[in-house]
Amino acid sequence: MSAPTHLSAPRAVGADARLHWWALALPALGFGLMLLLLAGSAEAHAASGEGSALVQVTEQLLRAVG
């Protein structure tokens, strides 16, 4: 005895197909962060006691954006 199959029409076809906002935002954010890491690697230096890593990353992010 076979199980019943549900063959329903696709929910969105053609011009009606829509993506959630995060379906584009998350990959773009990931790409931007990876690009920022690659761009900042040329200025890599040994750790000095100047501040936490979070402060340094935030400063680099602000320099890259502004």
Side-chain angles (χ1 to χ4, degrees), residues 1-65:
M1 181 175 224
S2 63
T5 58
H6 299 285
L7 298 175
S8 60
R11 292 184 352 184
V13 177
D16 294 333
R18 296 176 188 246
L19 290 175
H20 292 285
W21 64 268
W22 48 264
L24 292 175
L26 290 179
L29 180 65
F31 177 78
L33 289 174
M34 293 293 279
L35 190 61
L36 183 65
L37 285 173
L38 286 173
S41 66
E43 299 174 7
H45 59 278
S48 60
E50 295 178 4
S52 69
L54 181 59
V55 172
Q56 291 177 357
V57 169
T58 305
E59 289 173 353
Q60 283 184 347
L61 179 62
L62 291 175
R63 258 188 266 127
V65 172

